[in-house]
Amino acid sequence: GANGRAAAARLCSGAAGSSLLRHLLFKLRASGPLTVAEYMREALTNPAQGYYTRRGGIGESGDFVTSPELSQVFGELIGIWYISEWIAAGKPKAFQLVELGPGRGSLTDDILRVFKQLASLLSKCDISIHLVEVSPRLSEIQAQMLTGGKVQSSPRDDTVYMKGISKTGIPISWYRDIQDVPQGYSFYLAHEFFDALPIHKFQRTEKGWREVLVDEDPEVPDQLRFVLAPSSTPAMQNFIQPEETREHVEVCPEAGVLIQRLAHRLEKDGGAALIADYGHDGTKTDTFRGFRNHKPHDVLKAPGMADLTADVDFSYLRKMTQGRTATLGPIKQREFLKNMGIDLRLQVLLQNSRDTATQEQLRHSYDMLMNPKKMGDCFNFFALLPHHRLTHPDQKDDLQPRAPLVPVAGFSELSLK
Ligand code: SAH
């Protein structure tokens, strides 16, 4: 009966949580301490027991809430950003929208609504959606949100593991890795994605830099603790700059590799990438933290049951483009959204809504997104653009007057001309 099912579910989730811990303890005992990156990768995306793979509690009933879950306006303004870049690029005949880590799919859903509203402008443009998602659980939720559940799954070894058509008639494909997404003119989007990629941690000591590792606590059975590597590790040599002044540094090599790939693609095929996340410009130290049921959570407790995250180092991302693209930002979320016209959008929505409950909800979510003490200041927007988008190519013999470059929306005030 129902009681039996509930009890079984509780038993299962209890056993699953501890079985990832058990798996990690087994690994530690066999081959020594793990790097924080290995630990974070297992805790978040272990195929059987990772937090995102089996839980992924985004939204009010989950472990954390994100901007697209709070307000439709967030995604709408991002949709307008892409349209504005598409126009600035001379309205290419086709584009791909590629989202990394789409969560529940709300952001792409809001963007697709904007595309639909601007259908006459986009009518001759061939648009396709490409979602990069490792979690089977979240990809199902995305499919439900975007297509109403009408999707076809492919065999497990296929690079495109699912396909469908959006409610607005646009083809959607799902991948596990960005390298499987077809090349071509593309708009990339990563919201609260980079902060989920595994970081290495390093501590300055009297004997020089040491990597922070995760080991078993000898005092408490089945408990983990941080230790320092006894000597320098290979990762360290590559990641600590000689001029580094901080005492503690976090580095996310996977983010570096991903940015290199994005920069390569943008240089070759054109488009734009928009990255939004909390982060800093190479100044912060210890930002590794966990969330469970909207409360801070000890990162070493119950791996797989809590969201783990670290601030994104935008200075590192900028460096890893290796000059292949131009970069803009990071700028604060409240500045970006203000430049994109959030105030006007709020006024329109307030005027169009009759009941006070809806108006109250609109004002509340605006405050969450914009208030410097809430999400307004700690979230940042960062963009990669082909060089020619921001500077004229050097043509010394060109006697024609050059057309002025159109400013990039969001990073300066949006011009509605
Ligand atoms: N962008 C969404 C969700 C953020 S949570 C929002 O703002 O609401 C992070 C998302 O990235 C989840 O969908 C998670 O399953 C996915 N993810 C985490 N690590 C990943 C990886 N290595 N490759 C692909 N997707 C990943």
Side-chain angles (χ1 to χ4, degrees):
N3 281 339
R5 260 206 309 277
R10 263 199 306 280
L11 269 179
C12 281
S13 73
S18 60
S19 88
L20 182 58
L21 178 60
R22 219 147 290 289
H23 162 74
L24 292 173
L25 288 167
F26 192 75
K27 235 173 130 164
L28 289 171
R29 287 167 193 160
S31 50
L34 305 170
T35 63
V36 173
E38 287 169 311
Y39 174 77
M40 193 173 169
R41 180 178 300 112
E42 289 273 4
L44 291 182
T45 58
N46 175 293
Q49 317 284 356
Y51 174 75
Y52 284 121
T53 2
R54 44 178 296 276
R55 196 170 146 90
I58 309 159
E60 255 167 80
S61 61
D63 299 293
F64 60 105
V65 187
T66 59
S67 299
E69 297 301 324
L70 277 168
S71 163
Q72 63 173 84
V73 178
F74 187 80
E76 288 170 356
L77 295 177
I78 289 178
I80 291 169
W81 192 84
Y82 288 117
I83 301 280
S84 146
E85 279 309 298
W86 176 73
I87 294 170
K91 304 185 183 169
K93 280 204 258 323
F95 70 78
Q96 311 189 124
L97 175 67
V98 184
E99 189 180 359
L100 309 174
R104 305 179 59 84
S106 317
L107 191 47
T108 288
D109 198 45
D110 293 335
I111 293 173
L112 286 178
R113 206 175 43 252
V114 170
F115 289 178
K116 182 158 193 236
Q117 277 155 4
L118 298 175
S120 57
L121 180 64
L122 292 165
S123 65
K124 291 197 190 79
C125 185
D126 185 8
I127 305 174
S128 56
I129 306 293
H130 305 264
L131 304 178
V132 179
E133 175 59 72
V134 280
S135 165
R137 172 107 192 250
L138 285 172
S139 69
E140 265 172 42
I141 296 176
Q142 293 151 19
Q144 192 60 43
M145 170 82 75
L146 296 167
T147 72
K150 281 178 244 118
V151 284
Q152 276 189 308
S153 299
S154 318
R156 238 202 153 294
D157 54 333
D158 208 330
T159 55
V160 184
Y161 66 85
M162 197 160 67
K163 276 185 180 205
I165 308 278
S166 81
K167 293 174 286 185
T168 58
I170 293 176
I172 312 183
S173 310
W174 276 263
Y175 313 79
R176 288 182 196 86
D177 195 309
I178 183 143
Q179 279 178 288
D180 299 325
V181 176
Q183 305 203 338
Y185 189 94
S186 302
F187 292 127
Y188 298 93
L189 175 59
H191 181 260
E192 287 214 44
F193 175 76
F194 278 84
D195 70 278
L197 298 179
I199 51 151
H200 288 269
K201 282 171 93 65
F202 303 98
Q203 177 67 44
R204 192 195 292 276
T205 72
E206 279 167 11
K207 297 190 213 102
W209 286 94
R210 293 287 183 268
E211 181 157 8
V212 178
L213 303 173
V214 176
D215 201 359
E216 192 175 1
D217 191 331
E219 315 271 285
V220 192
D222 293 350
Q223 188 163 306
L224 301 171
R225 60 161 188 172
F226 287 119
V227 295
L228 289 182
S231 54
S232 74
T233 53
M236 244 186 59
Q237 325 279 352
N238 301 321
F239 298 132
I240 308 282
Q241 305 304 310
E243 64 274 15
E244 183 57 63
T245 56
R246 285 171 288 175
E247 297 292 302
H248 187 99
V249 173
E250 295 171 341
V251 184
C252 183
E254 258 184 54
V257 170
L258 183 56
I259 280 290
Q260 278 179 342
R261 295 211 168 108
L262 290 179
H264 256 290
R265 281 171 171 250
L266 291 172
E267 185 182 37
K268 195 164 152 284
D269 303 320
L274 195 57
I275 295 165
D277 228 308
Y278 35 70
H280 58 91
D281 228 351
T283 51
K284 283 204 186 168
T285 55
D286 182 11
T287 72
F288 186 37
R289 60 203 184 279
F291 288 99
R292 191 175 179 185
N293 299 324
H294 303 272
K295 290 196 195 77
H297 175 89
D298 183 339
V299 289
L300 295 182
K301 289 253 162 73
M305 303 299 282
D307 182 36
L308 301 184
T309 168
D311 274 16
V312 175
D313 179 351
F314 289 102
S315 70
Y316 179 67
L317 300 192
R318 195 182 302 113
K319 192 177 114 197
M320 294 309 277
T321 63
Q322 296 168 319
R324 287 201 170 85
T325 61
T327 62
L328 283 177
I331 73 164
K332 289 173 175 149
Q333 169 158 308
R334 69 184 158 87
E335 288 167 17
F336 180 86
L337 295 177
K338 191 144 236 158
N339 289 338
M340 290 303 302
I342 191 170
D343 292 330
L344 193 61
R345 185 72 189 124
L346 176 72
Q347 290 315 317
V348 171
L349 288 173
L350 284 174
Q351 274 158 25
N352 291 349
S353 66
R354 299 238 169 79
D355 60 307
T356 46
T358 310
Q359 294 184 340
E360 192 40 51
Q361 159 63 24
L362 286 167
R363 285 209 183 82
H364 168 75
S365 55
Y366 175 92
D367 183 59
M368 287 292 286
L369 295 180
M370 298 293 284
N371 191 325
K373 293 202 186 74
K374 293 172 184 165
M375 294 164 118
D377 262 5
C378 56
F379 279 85
N380 300 276
F381 278 75
F382 182 72
L384 306 188
L385 295 159
H387 283 295
H388 60 76
R389 175 66 181 86
L390 297 178
T391 44
H392 284 292
D394 246 352
Q395 296 170 298
K396 292 203 184 75
D397 52 351
D398 181 7
L399 298 173
Q400 302 278 316
R402 288 166 183 176
L405 290 159
V406 188
V408 178
F411 294 87
S412 53
E413 236 169 280
L414 180 61
S415 83
L416 293 167
K417 276 178 273 173

